[in-house]
Amino acid sequence: MVIKNSTTHTSVIGFSLIFLTTLPVSSDQSTVPLFDDGSLPYFQEWPKIKSDIPKRDYIEERVADIVAQMTLGEKVGQMIMPEYRQITPKEAKQYKIGSVLNGGGGWPNENKHASALEWALQSDKYWTALDQAYAGRGFRIPFMWATDAVHGNNNVYGATLFPHNIGLGAANNPELLFEIGRITAKEVAATGLDLTFAPTVATPRDYRWGRIYEGYSEIPTITYQYASSIVKGLQGTEKELRSEQRVLSTVKHWIGDGGTFNGVDRGVTFYSEDDLRNIHAMGYYSALEAGAQVVMTSFNSWQNYDLKGKSINSKDRNNNRFGKLHGSRYLITEVLKEKIGFDGIVVTDWNGHGEVEGCTNQSCPKAVNAGNDLFMVTDNKDWKAFYQNVIKQVQGGQIPMVRIDDAVTRILRVKMRAGLWEKPKPSYRILAGEQQVLGALEHRKVARQAVRESLVLLKNENKILPFKQKNHSYVVLGSAANDIQKQSGGWTLTWQGNENKSQDFVHATTVLEAFKQVVGDKHVYTDPNQASMDAIAVVVMGEDPYAEMYGDIKDHQTLAYSELKPSYAKDLQLIQEMKKKGFKVVTILFSGRPLYVNPELALSDAFVAAWLPGTEGRGITDVLFAQNGADFSGKLSYSWPNNKCMTTINENSRNIPNYHVPDFEQTGEEFMPLFPYGYGLNYAIEQNAASQPTLFMDKRQWGCGETKAKDRPTTNLEIFSREATTTFVPKMSGKVTKWKGTFISRAKKMTVGSASILSLNYKHQQDALRIDFGKQLPMQLYIQTPDKKGLDMRHYLTANSTLEFDIAVKSEIPSSLKLAAHCVYPCGAIAPIQKELKAIVEVSESEWVTVKVPLQCFADNGVNFSNINTPFLLYSDEPFQFDIGEIRYVPKEKGITENTMSCDIFKPI
Ligand code: BGC
Ligand code: BGC
């Protein structure tokens, strides 16, 4: 094992591998320094933090003076932050709403390519509305706009995109984080906005969590260092924060977001208070000390460690300590505000208050009383109701007026510290509308440096790397070789980051493009059959982008890359084929988490973990070709699994990395990671087959959340056919039936509204239906289980089954025709299928066609197969006549691939 401190600056701690510190630090200590050996202090109590942006009398007096003059309505208006598409400037004026946010994928005028100026002009509208609203009041309160600039100003066209936090953690360079913060602030200022919801300082402890990549490291040492650097970069000093080049920073999500049981997003964190304080809170201490002005409350719940596995009892749910963080007066008011001494704004997460026991999006006095100050109530109907409800709840005594005054004081204090009274309207600010600030060359240089420093070399046998560009040709292949989405991950232009095309980026270089730039088009092949045998194969593979719960690895899944999606399996096949052909293979992995890749690792001559690097693909070739002496310096900030279910870092391992929870199913013992925290090769290290760690070839066939292999189905499940049991029943409904379903009998001719249904002989007697949706539309035909809890169909998903249905089309295929599947409400996925069905029907020689859709497509778009309620639904707004034959789930072994629809057509419901 090589331990190298690759950083050159003095402010940075050495990269020590074991942080075994038990020295208590007294709680009245006002700062949180690292020990000389680079380890973190241990806090017996919640420490009191001294912020770099202290209370100033002139601000406190001015704020108090304004608050004293405000009406209750004006106060509540300051406490609400809607999503800006859910509020018009007119409504903002009427309700005196003090701030808005744009959700991921919210752009001015719904224009994904909106310019910096369009953003600023959009912000102007709300700024002006609020300014006018206060006319004649004798005082004014400026407006504020928040955005998720979490890896650069990522929601904006043309902005510089940095690697996601997981990659930055591997770089372990706090000065770089300062630069990234400073640049991101400039690019946010260029759009005229005021506040970013970053950084995330989670300490993710389970690789199944869909937000792993938003965290810097599995132990908080790097996070502790980074949190202060990036906050200082974003906000600057007390004085710089008032300038037009900096923005407010939010530390999120308070607290324990990375510790949820089984890595379930928004789940329950079973950690003792001591571990919450010393593992999950570490980033907050340094961020708040650096002056961070906003903290975002987390979606997760907290429950004491002893109660793990038990559901939270109603007493605990209702007290103000455990349960949903948004309702925890203990953690928000007593700990964060009183003990730690945070005097800025606590903002709720996206309708997070509505998830508190006894609350809705429209009403939650418990979350107000818990100490949340600013409420992200996103939707129009919700924020309006919330506004009225808070007023009533204050008048009715459910919410004390002092609580409201505390919230508003904090909001105004932060706005004043950010100089918002002095700043002109957004488009008049110094950088606002300056298009060239977005993605400026000097900004992208820093992003490219960040990419170089984030790469971790896991294998380099017989010095295949660095590449010698003069002598070689390269075959660049794999699902991620030319895929900017896989390269940039979630929170990129949209929330999920999966609706982007290359034209949505001004500056973006994929790995394939980077290779062409370095060695010239004629030395780069994408077809192995055309390349000479001395070419080197570069296989770039990677996860599809995801955000939040969409990225969770579900109970029936594991960390095995090639088993997560059929499309990922092709990458492994590709590596196998290339090796068989005799090529040397260098594999590059884009992922938001460490994954089990032992089959791929075993076959590859070199292997690079490249995380989610963003747009600067040249950073990767810089290092692969050792351009200007570039070498690998990244070190794992998450340990790397050696089996499919090495998912979890032990709850009470505090700051000791590599301490995974025992995996009893595999061995009954603790499993050591394949590559420990801190691992990373470079070109100076010689590696041959003998120096490789032993790869465990895991044969596990069932999910990490399952205790044993469910019997893999080998036979079809008949959903609708002569053999189908009463497990599922056919029904029809429409607008005309007020969506109430009518059971369809095959024995008689029926009508539902203006639709007619006739039974038909297909393969057998009366085994099909002839359907005419009629003129009263929309109508839908669906097959449903009467079981309210839905049916567990995960074994069909794990068996890589397809949904197949036999259909004979009798009329034009309507453009509104959709195929859907539902799990227990609200859950499901839907796909427009006109085009795909037409294509299938057109080439078919017979009238009847069998249409196939992989269940995985439904699962990827939100269908939970543990509670399937409606496995099949056909919907149309326009007339449609068709015969429907058998409908079934078919395990893969029996399936054939023709007539299979693409997953691209699906959307979550
Ligand atoms: C996320 C936050 C984000 C917010 C606003 C939430 O769903 O949890 O991290 O800042 O949305 O987009
Ligand atoms: C928004 C995100 C937000 C998410 C929360 C999305 O519609 O665009 O910003 O985090 O909802 O569920």
Side-chain angles (χ1 to χ4, degrees), residues 83 101-104 147-148 150 196-198 200 211 214 250 252-253 265-266 296-299 348-351 376 378 491 495 548-549:
E83 210 280 343
L101 83 143
N102 61 281
T147 189
D148 288 283
V150 300
T196 171
F197 291 140
T200 297
R211 306 189 79 159
E214 296 189 55
T250 306
K252 69 188 188 183
H253 310 81
D265 190 43
R266 306 188 177 190
M296 188 184 290
T297 309
S298 186
F299 281 121
T348 60
D349 202 346
W350 187 279
N351 297 316
M376 213 193 283
T378 58
W491 296 107
W495 181 34
E548 299 186 45
M549 54 289 210

Short mmCIF file of all heavy atoms in Angstrom, two decimals, residues 83 101-104 147-148 150 196-198 200 211 214 250 252-253 265-266 296-299 348-351 376 378 491 495 548-549, ligand 1:
data_model
loop_
_atom_site.label_atom_id
_atom_site.label_comp_id
_atom_site.label_asym_id
_atom_site.label_seq_id
_atom_site.Cartn_x
_atom_site.Cartn_y
_atom_site.Cartn_z
N GLU A 83 -41.26 27.26 -5.75
CA GLU A 83 -40.52 27.03 -6.99
C GLU A 83 -41.01 28.11 -7.94
O GLU A 83 -42.20 28.36 -8.05
CB GLU A 83 -40.85 25.64 -7.54
CG GLU A 83 -39.73 24.99 -8.32
CD GLU A 83 -39.57 25.46 -9.75
OE1 GLU A 83 -40.51 26.05 -10.30
OE2 GLU A 83 -38.51 25.21 -10.34
N LEU A 101 -36.97 29.52 -5.51
CA LEU A 101 -35.88 28.68 -5.99
C LEU A 101 -36.26 28.19 -7.38
O LEU A 101 -37.44 28.23 -7.74
CB LEU A 101 -35.65 27.47 -5.09
CG LEU A 101 -36.56 26.24 -5.34
CD1 LEU A 101 -35.79 24.96 -5.14
CD2 LEU A 101 -37.79 26.27 -4.45
N ASN A 102 -35.28 27.77 -8.14
CA ASN A 102 -35.61 27.00 -9.33
C ASN A 102 -35.23 25.56 -9.04
O ASN A 102 -34.13 25.29 -8.58
CB ASN A 102 -34.87 27.53 -10.57
CG ASN A 102 -33.37 27.45 -10.43
OD1 ASN A 102 -32.76 28.29 -9.77
ND2 ASN A 102 -32.76 26.43 -11.02
N GLY A 103 -36.17 24.64 -9.27
CA GLY A 103 -35.86 23.22 -9.09
C GLY A 103 -34.91 22.78 -10.19
O GLY A 103 -34.69 23.50 -11.16
N GLY A 104 -34.35 21.58 -10.02
CA GLY A 104 -33.50 21.03 -11.08
C GLY A 104 -34.30 20.93 -12.36
O GLY A 104 -35.37 20.33 -12.37
N THR A 147 -30.63 28.45 -6.15
CA THR A 147 -30.49 27.41 -7.17
C THR A 147 -29.56 26.31 -6.66
O THR A 147 -28.78 26.54 -5.74
CB THR A 147 -29.93 28.02 -8.48
OG1 THR A 147 -30.00 27.03 -9.52
CG2 THR A 147 -28.47 28.45 -8.33
N ASP A 148 -29.67 25.12 -7.23
CA ASP A 148 -28.78 24.02 -6.85
C ASP A 148 -27.53 24.06 -7.71
O ASP A 148 -27.43 23.34 -8.70
CB ASP A 148 -29.48 22.67 -7.04
CG ASP A 148 -30.55 22.43 -6.01
OD1 ASP A 148 -30.20 22.08 -4.87
OD2 ASP A 148 -31.75 22.57 -6.35
N VAL A 150 -24.50 22.63 -7.61
CA VAL A 150 -23.83 21.63 -6.77
C VAL A 150 -22.56 21.05 -7.38
O VAL A 150 -21.74 20.46 -6.69
CB VAL A 150 -24.80 20.49 -6.37
CG1 VAL A 150 -25.98 21.02 -5.58
CG2 VAL A 150 -25.30 19.71 -7.58
N THR A 196 -26.85 29.50 -3.38
CA THR A 196 -26.80 28.13 -3.88
C THR A 196 -27.07 27.13 -2.75
O THR A 196 -26.68 27.36 -1.61
CB THR A 196 -25.45 27.77 -4.56
OG1 THR A 196 -25.43 26.35 -4.81
CG2 THR A 196 -24.25 28.14 -3.70
N PHE A 197 -27.76 26.05 -3.12
CA PHE A 197 -28.00 24.96 -2.17
C PHE A 197 -26.81 24.01 -2.21
O PHE A 197 -26.92 22.85 -2.61
CB PHE A 197 -29.28 24.22 -2.52
CG PHE A 197 -30.54 25.01 -2.28
CD1 PHE A 197 -31.60 24.96 -3.17
CD2 PHE A 197 -30.68 25.80 -1.14
CE1 PHE A 197 -32.76 25.66 -2.94
CE2 PHE A 197 -31.85 26.52 -0.90
CZ PHE A 197 -32.89 26.45 -1.81
N ALA A 198 -25.66 24.47 -1.81
CA ALA A 198 -24.44 23.66 -1.79
C ALA A 198 -23.50 24.27 -0.75
O ALA A 198 -23.59 25.49 -0.50
CB ALA A 198 -23.78 23.65 -3.16
N THR A 200 -23.17 19.87 -0.21
CA THR A 200 -23.65 18.73 0.56
C THR A 200 -22.48 18.22 1.39
O THR A 200 -21.42 17.95 0.84
CB THR A 200 -24.14 17.62 -0.39
OG1 THR A 200 -25.24 18.11 -1.14
CG2 THR A 200 -24.57 16.37 0.38
N ARG A 211 -27.67 9.13 -3.47
CA ARG A 211 -26.97 10.41 -3.40
C ARG A 211 -25.52 10.26 -2.96
O ARG A 211 -24.89 11.26 -2.58
CB ARG A 211 -27.70 11.36 -2.44
CG ARG A 211 -29.15 11.55 -2.75
CD ARG A 211 -29.81 12.65 -1.95
NE ARG A 211 -29.49 13.95 -2.51
CZ ARG A 211 -30.22 15.06 -2.31
NH1 ARG A 211 -31.30 15.01 -1.54
NH2 ARG A 211 -29.87 16.20 -2.86
N GLU A 214 -22.97 12.76 -4.03
CA GLU A 214 -23.02 14.13 -3.54
C GLU A 214 -22.15 14.31 -2.29
O GLU A 214 -21.95 15.43 -1.83
CB GLU A 214 -24.47 14.54 -3.24
CG GLU A 214 -25.36 14.55 -4.48
CD GLU A 214 -26.73 15.16 -4.20
OE1 GLU A 214 -26.79 16.30 -3.71
OE2 GLU A 214 -27.74 14.48 -4.47
N THR A 250 -25.36 27.17 1.21
CA THR A 250 -26.21 26.34 2.08
C THR A 250 -25.49 25.05 2.40
O THR A 250 -25.06 24.35 1.48
CB THR A 250 -27.52 25.98 1.34
OG1 THR A 250 -28.13 27.17 0.88
CG2 THR A 250 -28.47 25.21 2.25
N LYS A 252 -25.90 21.24 3.56
CA LYS A 252 -27.06 20.36 3.61
C LYS A 252 -26.61 18.90 3.68
O LYS A 252 -25.49 18.61 3.33
CB LYS A 252 -27.95 20.61 2.38
CG LYS A 252 -27.35 20.16 1.02
CD LYS A 252 -28.23 20.62 -0.13
CE LYS A 252 -27.77 20.03 -1.44
NZ LYS A 252 -28.55 20.52 -2.59
N HIS A 253 -27.48 17.96 4.13
CA HIS A 253 -28.81 18.16 4.66
C HIS A 253 -28.76 17.75 6.13
O HIS A 253 -28.39 16.61 6.42
CB HIS A 253 -29.83 17.29 3.94
CG HIS A 253 -29.74 17.40 2.42
ND1 HIS A 253 -28.82 16.71 1.67
CD2 HIS A 253 -30.44 18.14 1.53
CE1 HIS A 253 -28.98 17.01 0.37
NE2 HIS A 253 -29.94 17.88 0.26
N ASP A 265 -33.02 6.47 0.33
CA ASP A 265 -33.12 7.93 0.33
C ASP A 265 -34.34 8.35 1.15
O ASP A 265 -35.41 7.77 1.02
CB ASP A 265 -33.23 8.45 -1.11
CG ASP A 265 -33.08 9.96 -1.17
OD1 ASP A 265 -32.20 10.50 -0.48
OD2 ASP A 265 -33.85 10.61 -1.92
N ARG A 266 -34.18 9.33 1.97
CA ARG A 266 -35.23 9.85 2.86
C ARG A 266 -35.61 8.84 3.95
O ARG A 266 -36.69 8.93 4.52
CB ARG A 266 -36.48 10.25 2.09
CG ARG A 266 -36.20 11.22 0.97
CD ARG A 266 -37.45 11.75 0.32
NE ARG A 266 -37.06 12.73 -0.70
CZ ARG A 266 -37.89 13.54 -1.32
NH1 ARG A 266 -39.17 13.51 -1.04
NH2 ARG A 266 -37.45 14.39 -2.21
N MET A 296 -29.75 23.48 5.30
CA MET A 296 -30.99 22.85 4.83
C MET A 296 -31.31 21.62 5.67
O MET A 296 -30.44 20.78 5.92
CB MET A 296 -30.88 22.44 3.36
CG MET A 296 -32.22 21.97 2.77
SD MET A 296 -32.08 21.37 1.06
CE MET A 296 -31.76 22.90 0.20
N THR A 297 -32.55 21.53 6.09
CA THR A 297 -33.01 20.37 6.86
C THR A 297 -33.11 19.16 5.94
O THR A 297 -33.42 19.28 4.77
CB THR A 297 -34.38 20.67 7.48
OG1 THR A 297 -34.30 21.92 8.15
CG2 THR A 297 -34.79 19.61 8.47
N SER A 298 -32.89 17.98 6.51
CA SER A 298 -32.86 16.76 5.71
C SER A 298 -34.19 16.02 5.69
O SER A 298 -34.98 16.11 6.64
CB SER A 298 -31.77 15.83 6.25
OG SER A 298 -31.64 14.73 5.40
N PHE A 299 -34.40 15.27 4.63
CA PHE A 299 -35.61 14.45 4.51
C PHE A 299 -35.61 13.24 5.45
O PHE A 299 -36.66 12.66 5.69
CB PHE A 299 -35.70 13.89 3.09
CG PHE A 299 -36.21 14.85 2.05
CD1 PHE A 299 -35.44 15.18 0.95
CD2 PHE A 299 -37.47 15.40 2.17
CE1 PHE A 299 -35.93 16.04 -0.04
CE2 PHE A 299 -37.96 16.27 1.20
CZ PHE A 299 -37.19 16.59 0.10
N THR A 348 -36.11 24.53 4.79
CA THR A 348 -36.60 23.15 4.67
C THR A 348 -36.22 22.64 3.29
O THR A 348 -35.95 23.41 2.38
CB THR A 348 -38.13 23.08 4.79
OG1 THR A 348 -38.72 23.87 3.76
CG2 THR A 348 -38.59 23.58 6.15
N ASP A 349 -36.22 21.32 3.14
CA ASP A 349 -36.01 20.76 1.81
C ASP A 349 -37.37 20.68 1.11
O ASP A 349 -38.43 20.75 1.76
CB ASP A 349 -35.34 19.38 1.88
CG ASP A 349 -34.64 19.02 0.57
OD1 ASP A 349 -34.90 19.67 -0.44
OD2 ASP A 349 -33.83 18.07 0.58
N TRP A 350 -37.34 20.52 -0.17
CA TRP A 350 -38.49 20.47 -1.10
C TRP A 350 -39.73 19.78 -0.48
O TRP A 350 -39.82 18.55 -0.46
CB TRP A 350 -38.00 19.71 -2.34
CG TRP A 350 -38.91 19.64 -3.50
CD1 TRP A 350 -39.95 18.78 -3.67
CD2 TRP A 350 -38.82 20.42 -4.69
NE1 TRP A 350 -40.51 18.98 -4.90
CE2 TRP A 350 -39.84 19.98 -5.56
CE3 TRP A 350 -37.98 21.45 -5.14
CZ2 TRP A 350 -40.04 20.52 -6.83
CZ3 TRP A 350 -38.18 21.98 -6.40
CH2 TRP A 350 -39.21 21.52 -7.22
N ASN A 351 -40.62 20.56 0.04
CA ASN A 351 -41.84 20.05 0.70
C ASN A 351 -41.55 19.03 1.79
O ASN A 351 -42.41 18.19 2.11
CB ASN A 351 -42.81 19.46 -0.33
CG ASN A 351 -43.29 20.51 -1.31
OD1 ASN A 351 -43.62 21.63 -0.88
ND2 ASN A 351 -43.31 20.21 -2.58
N MET A 376 -39.51 25.73 1.86
CA MET A 376 -39.54 25.44 0.44
C MET A 376 -40.86 24.73 0.15
O MET A 376 -40.92 23.51 0.08
CB MET A 376 -38.35 24.52 0.11
CG MET A 376 -37.74 24.72 -1.25
SD MET A 376 -36.62 23.37 -1.69
CE MET A 376 -35.15 23.70 -0.78
N THR A 378 -43.21 24.22 -2.56
CA THR A 378 -42.93 24.51 -3.97
C THR A 378 -44.17 24.86 -4.80
O THR A 378 -44.11 25.75 -5.63
CB THR A 378 -42.23 23.32 -4.63
OG1 THR A 378 -43.07 22.17 -4.49
CG2 THR A 378 -40.90 23.05 -3.97
N TRP A 491 -28.26 16.06 -11.60
CA TRP A 491 -28.11 17.49 -11.35
C TRP A 491 -27.27 18.16 -12.44
O TRP A 491 -26.33 18.91 -12.18
CB TRP A 491 -27.46 17.77 -9.99
CG TRP A 491 -28.26 17.31 -8.81
CD1 TRP A 491 -27.98 16.22 -8.02
CD2 TRP A 491 -29.46 17.89 -8.26
NE1 TRP A 491 -28.94 16.09 -7.04
CE2 TRP A 491 -29.85 17.10 -7.16
CE3 TRP A 491 -30.24 19.00 -8.60
CZ2 TRP A 491 -30.98 17.39 -6.39
CZ3 TRP A 491 -31.36 19.28 -7.82
CH2 TRP A 491 -31.71 18.48 -6.74
N TRP A 495 -32.93 17.74 -13.33
CA TRP A 495 -32.79 17.11 -12.01
C TRP A 495 -32.07 15.77 -12.12
O TRP A 495 -31.02 15.54 -11.53
CB TRP A 495 -34.20 16.93 -11.41
CG TRP A 495 -34.25 16.33 -10.04
CD1 TRP A 495 -33.34 16.49 -9.03
CD2 TRP A 495 -35.27 15.48 -9.54
NE1 TRP A 495 -33.76 15.80 -7.92
CE2 TRP A 495 -34.94 15.17 -8.21
CE3 TRP A 495 -36.46 14.96 -10.08
CZ2 TRP A 495 -35.75 14.36 -7.41
CZ3 TRP A 495 -37.26 14.16 -9.27
CH2 TRP A 495 -36.89 13.87 -7.95
N GLU A 548 -31.13 11.64 -6.32
CA GLU A 548 -31.96 11.29 -5.15
C GLU A 548 -32.45 9.83 -5.23
O GLU A 548 -31.71 8.94 -5.61
CB GLU A 548 -33.10 12.30 -5.01
CG GLU A 548 -32.54 13.73 -4.81
CD GLU A 548 -33.58 14.76 -4.51
OE1 GLU A 548 -34.46 14.51 -3.69
OE2 GLU A 548 -33.50 15.87 -5.08
N MET A 549 -33.74 9.62 -4.90
CA MET A 549 -34.24 8.25 -4.76
C MET A 549 -34.16 7.43 -6.05
O MET A 549 -34.13 6.21 -6.00
CB MET A 549 -35.67 8.23 -4.20
CG MET A 549 -36.68 9.05 -4.96
SD MET A 549 -36.33 10.80 -4.69
CE MET A 549 -37.90 11.55 -4.83
C1 BGC B 1 -33.04 18.05 -2.61
C2 BGC B 1 -32.15 19.20 -2.23
C3 BGC B 1 -32.31 20.32 -3.21
C4 BGC B 1 -33.75 20.71 -3.32
C5 BGC B 1 -34.03 21.83 -4.31
C6 BGC B 1 -34.45 18.47 -2.89
O1 BGC B 1 -35.21 17.44 -3.40
O2 BGC B 1 -33.03 17.10 -1.58
O3 BGC B 1 -30.82 18.77 -2.15
O4 BGC B 1 -31.53 21.42 -2.81
O5 BGC B 1 -34.52 19.59 -3.73
O6 BGC B 1 -33.91 21.42 -5.62
#
